[in-house]
Each structure stands twice: as C-alpha cells, then as structure tokens.
Amino acid sequence: MHHLLSAADLSLGQATAILDVAEEMHDVQSRPIKKLPTLRGKTIINMFFEDSTRTRTSFEIAGKWMSADTINISAKGSSVSKGESMRDTMLTLDSMGVDCFVIRHPSSGAVAQASGWVRASVVNAGDGRHEHPTQALLDAYTMRRHFRATGDGEFAGKKIAIVGDLLHSRVVRSNVLLQRTLGGEVVLVGPPTLLPTGVETWGCPVTHDFDEVIGEADIVMMLRVQRERMSGGFFPTAREYAEGYGLTPERLARMKDAAAIFHPGPMNRGVEISSQAADAAASRVLDQVSAGVAVRMSVLYHLLGGEGEK
Amino acid sequence: MKSDEGTRVVWDAGDISRALTRIAHQIIEANAGAEGLALLGIRTRGVPLARRLGTIISEASGVDVPVGELDITMYRDDLRRNPTRAVGRTQIPGRIDDRVVVLVDDVLNSGRTVVSSLEAIKDIGRPRAVRLAVLVDRGHRELPVQADHVGKDLPTSSDERVTVRLAEIDGEDAVTITRGLGA
C-alpha cells in the first residue's frame, strides 16, 4: 500500500490489518510514555486546504507518537496564498524529500489527482463531498470494539443506519465503501433534498423515514448538518429538520438496547442530535475521537513502516 | 517442518524441559527468591517459554510470578528494510517499575532483538534490573549483548539455521539445526 485515497482501495485483509494494529496503538495511547520509534526519520506534511481541528490534530499526534517529523501547512500563510498552484507547492515539498502528504481539499478528487504528482505517499484526509477513508476506518474500529463488547464482534448481520445530510458528507461514501468490504449492512436515511445523485447505485437501501429504521439499527450514525446548508433551501428550518431526521429523546428511547450512537463531529446539539442523545450512555462519540489517533497511527505505519511494494 | 537431509535434531522435549527447570532455579537463585520478579516473553516463541518458566518458578517458590508478552515489531531496526508486518500483542503484567524483569527468548543470535526489547521496555516503565534468559545461544553477535541464563550454547556456522519448536505453537518440543539456509 503506497497511498490511501479511497476506502474502496482496501482489501478485507488490509482493512482488518489496519484495525488490528490500531488495537495495539490504542494501548500505546494509555502509556505514560506515548512514543514509538517506528517512523523515526520520516517526514509527514499535513496540507489542509480546509479548516479542521480533530482530523489535522490527530494526524499530527499520530505521526509524532511514532517519532515521525510532522509539519502543518495550511492554505493561509503558505505560498498557496501567493498564487502558487497546489501542484507546484507539492512538487517543491516532494523535492525536499518528504515521505508522506496528508491532504484535505475542498474539491472532490483533488487528493487522488495530487497523488499522481509526487513520489511520496498520499493520504486522503477528506476531499470535498467525496471521501474520508480514515474516518470510515475509525468508525469501523469503534464499531468492532462495540460489537465485541456487546456480542460476537462481527460486522456481518449488523445494521448501520447513516442519517442526515448524505449529499454533502464525505463520511457516508467512505463508510458505505468500507462496509461493503467488511460486511456490515448500511441503510441510508435522509430527506429527499439531501440525497446525492446516483445514490441508488451504491447498493444499499435508502429511506426518507427515520422512524422506520431506528428500532432495528445496531449503529445509528448521525451526520452533521452544516450551518451554511440551513439557508440553502434543503430543508425549511432547523427545527423541522430535527423533527424528521434528528436523534430526538423519543427516537433515543426506541433504539435497541445494545445499539450505539455515532457522530463524526462537530455536533450541532438540538439539530441532528439532541443533548440527551449526545450525552447518552449509548453514545460512542468520544470513543470515535480516541480511536482517531490509533487508527491514523496504524495507517501511517502501513504506508511508511516498511519498504512494501512501490 | 520437512525433516529433510539437512536438518538434525539437537535437543528433544526432555532436554528442553530439563534446561527450563535449570534456568528457572538459576533465576530464583540469582534473585535470592522469586519476590519482585516479572517474566516477559519476546514474541513469538519467547512467550510460551516465559509461561513455562513462570509455572516452574511459582511451583518451586510458592510466589506467583507475573508473566507478560512483548512485541517489538515497532522497535525493530530493520523495519524499513522489510514489508510491514503484523504487530502482535504486548501485554504487561501490571507495572514493571522497580521489578526485576527477565526477558525470555528462544534463540540468542545477533542481539538486535534484545536491544529492541530493551528500548521497548524503557517506554513501558523503569524496572530495577533487566535480565536475559534464552533457551539457545548460537553465537554470531552483532551487538554487545550477553545472556544471564542460557539453556544451551550451540556453536554454529553462519549458514546454519537454528529452529526452536514448541508444543504450544508447533505441536512438539525440539531444537533443530538446518544446514545451508543462512542464519
């Protein structure tokens, strides 16, 4: 594995290996000395052309805990703001001998395109509405731990409801693609105005009725409603959205006993998720954040740890 | 394993069992009792050896000695020269701070595994002392490493391969030498 651009690139063996190594990395997280020498001498550049706190920080921490040198570049304050193209910026950095680019970009497909320009490994940390593979991996990691704690630990036979703004979310597509490999059954729930075109070809059931799904889902994954969409004519008001597609206290009460609540963050309390649900015992939101570092350590290890095939 | 022409068995189950009993008693003696000991097996075959030693020490001394496993994949100095490998479980029995940790491995060869293990231990805690017990010392050291407890010194040439087979993993106990495969 040289790049990680799409969740679909991962075979079952590779995805399982990433989740397994992440388990070990999670133990490192609870040690007094959180440092492994594994990526000593490797240089990782975080290039974020879009705002991000948790993804960028967790990639940075993941690299540092494995002894890599991590450097952050944002569009603001770099030569990108002087008008240098992304390609030239990356070629410049590539010539300096960096080993890995972690890229977030507002345009779908930009990261995959960038991976063709450079010798270094490229990790997609979110491109437009397209994909966010490490988020899907950390979701899968958190799900697997939850399934192990409550039952057989298998993805097969589990129902994963992904609810909300499917149109603007890159988390959805990566989760759908990864679960296609891992075997979980994804159900998409969202208002008709917020469905991506071609969703019917994704191979998973789509419904507009959250109440129909809530009682049978093992995982209820709520997607963030981006503030700027609220005035975009996609739905009348935030309150009305919450009525139809929010995880309200009433819906929380209807969830299966062993079901868990997921949210990629940041949460809009009172819109897609009520405070009762966000703080409920079934909420795995903080586990997702904690898994983020371990999973990204594992991804960096698999990309940069050995010579591998290049 | 294929028992082809070039492989000969140098130790059988009885030899291994006697060597472990001897090492276990040496460990107790060197430590003046089994209090404050912790055994750490280096994956893969150091782990069952550490468990067996732990059982013998506990039976002989009446002290329950904690046994853990150490995976040093992330600490290997040849990591980037090989494809990424699976990382095994590291399990530390409680805290190792201020204990005497006995590292256990099957074969002592270049000494690199031991040095990587010491680095891994350093990140986990600060033992009072670290000792090294190995079933077979085959020589060919590349680093200044010496074992405290050795089951068998096995002088070999560098094109011979020493293999330790253990019942827990391989279904039988044996130490074999294979010719012409390299170290």
Side-chain angles (χ1 to χ4, degrees), chain B residues 2-179:
Chain B
K2 298 165 297 210
S3 54
D4 46 72
E5 300 270 310
T7 300
R8 66 193 160 93
V9 177
V10 290
W11 254 15
D12 63 15
D15 298 316
I16 291 178
S17 156
R18 277 189 293 280
L20 288 176
T21 307
R22 176 165 51 77
I23 292 174
H25 285 93
Q26 281 177 359
I27 291 173
I28 300 174
E29 205 179 315
N31 192 54
E35 295 289 345
L37 281 175
L39 303 181
L40 275 188
I42 301 173
R43 287 182 66 95
T44 310
R45 282 176 182 71
V47 175
L49 288 176
R51 294 203 189 293
R52 291 190 203 180
L53 284 173
T55 308
I56 302 172
I57 292 175
S58 299
E59 280 170 4
S61 66
V63 179
D64 208 12
V65 177
V67 178
E69 15 192 301
L70 194 63
D71 182 278
I72 54 137
T73 309
M74 294 300 200
Y75 291 87
R76 293 181 67 95
D77 60 1
D78 59 351
L79 192 62
R80 66 188 45 183
R81 285 157 55 170
N82 297 296
T84 46
R85 51 174 80 206
V87 177
R89 176 139 292 257
T90 290
Q91 240 164 7
I92 305 302
R95 292 172 68 80
I96 57 168
D97 290 3
D98 298 320
R99 286 187 167 267
V100 173
V101 171
V102 182
L103 275 174
V104 183
D105 205 359
D106 54 350
V107 181
L108 178 58
N109 185 2
S110 68
R112 289 180 190 270
T113 304
V114 175
V115 171
S116 300
S117 305
L118 292 174
E119 281 172 24
I121 287 177
K122 204 173 62 185
D123 286 350
I124 298 164
R126 187 185 183 282
R128 187 154 61 82
V130 182
R131 314 251 181 258
L132 175 62
V134 296
L135 189 61
V136 177
D137 183 348
R138 63 157 303 187
H140 304 286
R141 216 75 84 240
E142 292 163 11
L143 295 168
V145 171
Q146 198 60 49
D148 299 279
H149 309 289
V150 180
K152 186 180 180 61
D153 277 306
L154 202 57
T156 49
S157 75
S158 52
D159 67 340
E160 288 173 322
R161 185 186 192 88
V162 176
T163 309
V164 171
R165 296 168 57 76
L166 295 173
E168 293 90 331
I169 296 165
D170 313 291
E172 57 161 355
D173 274 6
V175 178
T176 60
I177 293 185
T178 310
R179 210 164 256 295

Side-chain angles (χ1 to χ4, degrees), chain A:
Chain A
M1 204 168 38
H2 185 48
H3 300 306
L4 178 60
L5 303 173
S6 161
D9 295 346
L10 296 169
S11 66
L12 180 59
Q14 285 172 324
T16 309
I18 289 173
L19 300 186
D20 289 345
V21 170
E23 297 273 354
E24 300 311 311
M25 298 302 99
H26 217 143
D27 290 345
V28 173
Q29 220 165 325
S30 54
R31 288 188 193 168
I33 298 175
K34 301 171 182 55
K35 202 82 168 173
L36 294 171
T38 317
L39 299 182
R40 215 157 57 90
K42 301 279 183 186
T43 305
I44 301 169
I45 299 215
N46 287 328
M47 289 184 90
F48 278 65
F49 295 92
E50 217 179 63
D51 294 340
S52 161
T53 307
R54 69 190 72 203
T55 305
R56 185 176 55 74
T57 313
S58 67
F59 265 112
E60 187 175 358
I61 292 176
K64 289 198 158 138
W65 283 357
M66 300 186 90
S67 303
D69 296 300
T70 57
I71 291 162
N72 292 314
I73 290 181
S74 56
K76 271 174 238 151
S78 71
S79 51
V80 175
S81 62
K82 292 186 195 164
E84 186 178 56
S85 73
M86 177 180 170
R87 183 168 182 272
D88 284 335
T89 306
M90 286 186 66
L91 288 175
T92 306
L93 295 167
D94 200 43
S95 316
M96 291 180 187
V98 308
D99 299 286
C100 182
F101 290 95
V102 176
I103 306 177
R104 168 165 292 183
H105 199 280
S107 303
S108 305
V111 179
Q113 191 179 15
S115 71
W117 299 332
V118 291
R119 176 200 44 80
S121 290
V122 173
V123 180
N124 184 355
D127 61 328
R129 304 171 180 184
H130 182 228
E131 277 222 54
H132 193 356
T134 57
Q135 176 72 38
L137 283 164
L138 74 89
D139 289 340
Y141 175 85
T142 313
M143 285 177 207
R144 194 173 76 166
R145 274 174 93 101
H146 175 73
F147 295 155
R148 280 179 178 170
T150 55
D152 60 2
E154 299 294 322
F155 286 97
K158 300 297 192 305
K159 196 166 245 182
I160 301 160
I162 306 182
V163 187
D165 182 356
L166 305 166
L167 176 60
H168 301 100
S169 171
R170 49 191 166 220
V171 177
V172 175
R173 191 186 308 259
S174 288
N175 263 295
V176 168
L177 293 169
L178 187 63
Q179 288 304 330
R180 201 178 278 173
T181 307
L182 292 175
E185 188 196 327
V186 176
V187 184
L188 301 176
V189 184
T193 49
L194 288 171
L195 296 183
T197 44
V199 71
E200 61 283 354
T201 65
W202 289 13
C204 38
V206 182
T207 173
H208 309 311
D209 187 357
F210 192 9
D211 292 307
E212 177 187 286
V213 177
I214 186 74
E216 38 189 73
D218 297 287
I219 301 290
V220 179
M221 186 185 293
M222 305 307 299
L223 299 173
R224 189 165 77 95
V225 176
Q226 295 169 27
R227 292 265 168 205
E228 58 273 25
R229 315 286 177 225
M230 294 185 194
S231 52
F234 293 104
F235 49 89
T237 61
R239 177 121 169 243
E240 207 158 312
Y241 181 87
E243 291 272 303
Y245 298 98
L247 190 53
T248 56
E250 296 74 42
R251 292 197 177 101
L252 176 67
R254 289 191 50 219
M255 281 172 56
K256 290 209 297 201
D257 284 344
I261 299 164
F262 278 51
H263 193 299
M267 294 188 283
N268 291 313
R269 287 173 185 251
V271 186
E272 76 270 7
I273 188 164
S274 62
S275 268
Q276 286 91 328
D279 302 327
S283 168
R284 293 278 86 84
V285 175
L286 291 177
D287 293 337
Q288 288 174 276
V289 177
S290 144
V293 175
V295 166
R296 286 168 182 132
M297 285 172 84
S298 177
V299 165
L300 293 175
Y301 167 68
H302 281 93
L303 293 179
L304 304 174
E307 281 294 273
E309 67 278 72
K310 275 196 178 172

